[in-house]
Every structure is written in C-alpha cells, then in structure tokens.
Coordinates of all heavy atoms in Angstrom, one line a residue:
V1 N 102.6 99.9 102.7 CA 104.0 100.5 102.6 C 104.1 101.7 101.6 O 104.6 102.7 102.0 CB 104.9 99.4 102.2 CG1 106.4 100.0 101.9 CG2 105.1 98.3 103.3
P2 N 103.6 101.5 100.4 CA 103.8 102.7 99.5 C 102.9 103.9 99.9 O 101.8 103.8 100.4 CB 103.3 102.2 98.2 CG 103.1 100.7 98.3 CD 103.0 100.4 99.8
E3 N 103.4 105.0 99.6 CA 102.6 106.2 99.7 C 102.0 106.4 98.2 O 102.6 106.1 97.2 CB 103.5 107.4 100.0 CG 102.8 108.8 100.1 CD 103.6 109.9 100.6 OE1 104.8 109.7 100.9 OE2 103.1 111.0 100.5
V4 N 100.8 106.9 98.2 CA 100.1 107.1 97.0 C 100.1 108.6 96.6 O 99.9 109.4 97.4 CB 98.7 106.5 97.0 CG1 97.9 106.8 95.7 CG2 98.6 105.1 97.4
S5 N 100.5 108.9 95.3 CA 100.4 110.3 94.7 C 99.3 110.2 93.6 O 99.6 109.5 92.5 CB 101.7 110.7 94.2 OG 102.6 110.9 95.2
G6 N 98.2 110.7 93.8 CA 97.1 110.8 92.8 C 97.0 112.1 92.1 O 97.2 113.1 92.7
I7 N 96.8 112.0 90.8 CA 96.6 113.2 90.0 C 95.3 113.0 89.4 O 95.0 112.0 88.7 CB 97.8 113.5 89.1 CG1 97.6 114.8 88.4 CG2 97.9 112.3 88.0 CD1 97.9 116.0 89.3
E8 N 94.4 114.0 89.3 CA 93.0 113.9 88.8 C 92.6 115.3 88.3 O 92.8 116.4 88.9 CB 92.1 113.4 89.9 CG 90.6 113.5 89.6 CD 90.2 112.8 88.4 OE1 90.7 111.6 88.3 OE2 89.4 113.3 87.6
R9 N 91.9 115.3 87.2 CA 91.5 116.5 86.5 C 90.4 117.1 87.3 O 90.3 118.3 87.5 CB 91.0 116.1 85.1 CG 90.3 117.3 84.4 CD 89.8 116.9 83.0 NE 88.9 115.7 83.1 CZ 88.7 114.8 82.2 NH1 89.3 115.0 81.0 NH2 87.9 113.8 82.3
S10 N 89.6 116.3 87.9 CA 88.4 116.8 88.7 C 88.7 117.2 90.1 O 89.1 116.3 90.9 CB 87.2 115.8 88.6 OG 86.3 116.0 89.7
G11 N 88.4 118.3 90.5 CA 88.6 118.7 91.9 C 87.8 117.9 92.8 O 88.3 117.6 93.9
W12 N 86.6 117.6 92.5 CA 85.7 116.9 93.4 C 86.3 115.5 93.6 O 86.4 115.0 94.7 CB 84.3 116.7 92.8 CG 83.5 115.7 93.6 CD1 82.9 116.0 94.7 CD2 83.4 114.3 93.3 NE1 82.3 114.7 95.2 CE2 82.6 113.7 94.3 CE3 83.8 113.4 92.3 CZ2 82.3 112.4 94.4 CZ3 83.5 112.1 92.4 CH2 82.7 111.6 93.4
A13 N 86.7 114.8 92.5 CA 87.3 113.5 92.6 C 88.6 113.4 93.3 O 88.9 112.5 94.1 CB 87.5 112.9 91.1
A14 N 89.4 114.5 93.2 CA 90.7 114.6 94.0 C 90.4 114.7 95.5 O 91.0 114.0 96.3 CB 91.5 115.8 93.5
G15 N 89.4 115.4 95.8 CA 88.9 115.5 97.2 C 88.3 114.1 97.8 O 88.6 113.7 98.8
E16 N 87.6 113.5 96.9 CA 87.2 112.2 97.2 C 88.3 111.2 97.4 O 88.2 110.3 98.2 CB 86.1 111.6 96.1 CG 85.4 110.5 96.5 CD 84.3 110.7 97.6 OE1 83.9 111.9 97.8 OE2 84.0 109.7 98.3
A17 N 89.3 111.2 96.5 CA 90.5 110.5 96.7 C 91.2 110.6 98.1 O 91.6 109.7 98.7 CB 91.5 110.7 95.6
R18 N 91.3 111.9 98.5 CA 91.8 112.1 99.8 C 91.0 111.5 100.9 O 91.5 110.9 101.9 CB 92.0 113.7 100.0 CG 93.0 114.4 99.1 CD 93.4 115.7 99.5 NE 92.3 116.7 99.1 CZ 92.1 117.2 97.9 NH1 93.0 116.9 96.9 NH2 91.1 118.1 97.7
A19 N 89.7 111.5 100.7 CA 88.8 110.9 101.7 C 89.0 109.4 101.7 O 89.0 108.7 102.7 CB 87.3 111.3 101.5
T20 N 89.2 108.8 100.5 CA 89.4 107.4 100.4 C 90.7 107.0 101.1 O 90.7 106.1 101.9 CB 89.5 107.0 98.9 OG1 88.3 107.2 98.2 CG2 89.9 105.5 98.7
Y21 N 91.7 107.8 100.9 CA 93.0 107.5 101.5 C 92.8 107.5 103.0 O 93.3 106.6 103.8 CB 94.1 108.4 101.1 CG 94.4 108.5 99.6 CD1 94.9 109.6 99.0 CD2 94.2 107.4 98.8 CE1 95.1 109.7 97.7 CE2 94.4 107.5 97.5 CZ 94.9 108.7 96.9 OH 95.2 108.7 95.6
T22 N 92.2 108.5 103.5 CA 92.0 108.6 105.0 C 91.2 107.4 105.5 O 91.5 106.9 106.5 CB 91.3 110.0 105.3 OG1 92.2 111.0 104.9 CG2 91.1 110.1 106.8
A23 N 90.0 107.2 104.9 CA 89.1 106.1 105.4 C 89.9 104.7 105.4 O 89.7 103.9 106.2 CB 87.9 106.1 104.6
L24 N 90.7 104.5 104.4 CA 91.4 103.2 104.2 C 92.8 103.2 105.0 O 93.4 102.2 105.0 CB 91.7 102.9 102.7 CG 90.5 102.5 102.0 CD1 90.7 102.5 100.4 CD2 89.9 101.1 102.4
G25 N 93.1 104.3 105.6 CA 94.4 104.4 106.3 C 95.6 104.3 105.4 O 96.7 103.8 105.8
V26 N 95.5 104.8 104.2 CA 96.6 104.9 103.2 C 97.3 106.2 103.3 O 96.6 107.2 103.3 CB 96.1 104.6 101.8 CG1 97.1 104.8 100.8 CG2 95.5 103.2 101.7
R27 N 98.6 106.2 103.3 CA 99.4 107.5 103.2 C 99.3 108.0 101.7 O 99.6 107.1 100.9 CB 100.8 107.3 103.6 CG 101.1 107.0 105.0 CD 102.5 106.7 105.4 NE 103.1 105.7 104.6 CZ 104.1 105.9 103.7 NH1 104.8 107.1 103.7 NH2 104.7 104.9 103.0
G28 N 98.7 109.1 101.5 CA 98.6 109.6 100.2 C 98.2 111.0 100.1 O 97.7 111.5 101.0
R29 N 98.3 111.5 98.9 CA 97.8 112.8 98.6 C 97.2 112.8 97.1 O 97.6 111.9 96.4 CB 98.9 113.8 98.6 CG 100.0 113.6 97.6 CD 101.1 114.7 97.7 NE 102.1 114.5 96.6 CZ 101.9 114.7 95.3 NH1 100.8 115.1 94.9 NH2 103.0 114.4 94.4
A30 N 96.3 113.6 96.9 CA 95.7 113.7 95.6 C 95.6 115.2 95.3 O 95.1 115.9 96.1 CB 94.3 113.0 95.5
A31 N 95.9 115.4 94.0 CA 95.8 116.9 93.6 C 95.2 117.0 92.2 O 95.2 116.0 91.5 CB 97.3 117.4 93.5
S32 N 94.6 118.1 92.0 CA 94.0 118.4 90.7 C 95.1 118.7 89.7 O 96.0 119.4 90.0 CB 93.1 119.5 90.7 OG 91.9 119.3 91.5
G33 N 95.0 118.1 88.5 CA 96.0 118.4 87.5 C 95.8 117.6 86.3 O 94.9 116.9 86.1
D34 N 96.8 117.7 85.3 CA 96.8 117.0 84.1 C 97.7 115.9 84.1 O 98.9 116.1 84.2 CB 97.1 118.0 83.0 CG 97.1 117.5 81.6 OD1 97.0 116.3 81.4 OD2 97.3 118.3 80.7
L35 N 97.2 114.6 84.0 CA 98.0 113.4 84.0 C 99.0 113.4 82.9 O 100.1 112.7 83.0 CB 97.2 112.2 84.0 CG 96.4 111.8 82.8 CD1 97.2 110.9 81.9 CD2 95.1 111.2 83.2
L36 N 98.9 114.1 81.8 CA 99.8 114.1 80.7 C 101.0 115.1 80.9 O 101.9 115.0 80.3 CB 99.1 114.6 79.4 CG 98.0 113.6 78.9 CD1 97.3 114.2 77.7 CD2 98.7 112.2 78.5
R37 N 100.9 115.8 82.0 CA 102.0 116.7 82.4 C 102.8 116.3 83.6 O 103.8 116.8 83.9 CB 101.4 118.1 82.7 CG 100.8 118.7 81.5 CD 100.3 120.2 81.8 NE 99.4 120.6 80.6 CZ 99.9 121.5 79.8 NH1 101.1 122.1 79.9 NH2 99.0 121.9 78.8
E38 N 102.3 115.2 84.3 CA 103.1 114.7 85.3 C 104.3 114.1 85.0 O 104.4 113.3 84.0 CB 102.2 113.7 86.1 CG 101.1 114.3 86.9 CD 101.5 115.2 88.0 OE1 102.3 114.8 88.9 OE2 101.2 116.4 88.0
R39 N 105.4 114.3 85.8 CA 106.7 113.6 85.5 C 106.5 112.2 86.1 O 106.2 112.1 87.3 CB 107.8 114.4 86.3 CG 109.1 113.7 86.0 CD 110.2 114.3 86.7 NE 111.6 114.0 86.6 CZ 112.0 112.7 86.6 NH1 111.1 111.7 86.8 NH2 113.2 112.3 86.5
L40 N 106.7 111.2 85.3 CA 106.6 109.8 85.7 C 107.8 109.3 86.4 O 108.9 109.6 85.9 CB 106.1 109.0 84.6 CG 104.7 109.4 84.0 CD1 104.4 108.3 82.8 CD2 103.7 109.3 85.0

C-alpha cells in the first residue's frame, strides 16, 4: 500500500534502491540527497 520515498547520499545506492523497488513490485522512488535536509 505505501509508496516509498528514499533519500540516499550515494548515487549508486539510489539507483540500486530503484532496482529493488522494481524487482519487489513496490511503488517508490529514490533520489540522491542529504537526509538531514529532507522535510520529514
């Protein structure tokens, strides 16, 4: 049910997160960024 919004410093890991979401059938997006700057 939930959509996942991932934030990750590493561009490689953010890309891997997108592949994880796709392979698991999860609605989500992952982007490179600073977790301390994300609005919670």
Side-chain angles (χ1 to χ4, degrees):
V1 172
E3 183 175 349
V4 178
S5 294
I7 188 74
E8 170 57 46
R9 174 181 54 204
S10 163
W12 171 82
E16 193 66 25
R18 291 187 291 274
T20 295
Y21 302 151
T22 298
L24 288 169
V26 171
R27 292 178 305 120
R29 64 175 181 77
S32 296
D34 181 350
L35 66 94
L36 295 175
R37 296 178 191 259
E38 284 298 304
R39 184 182 179 315
L40 298 184

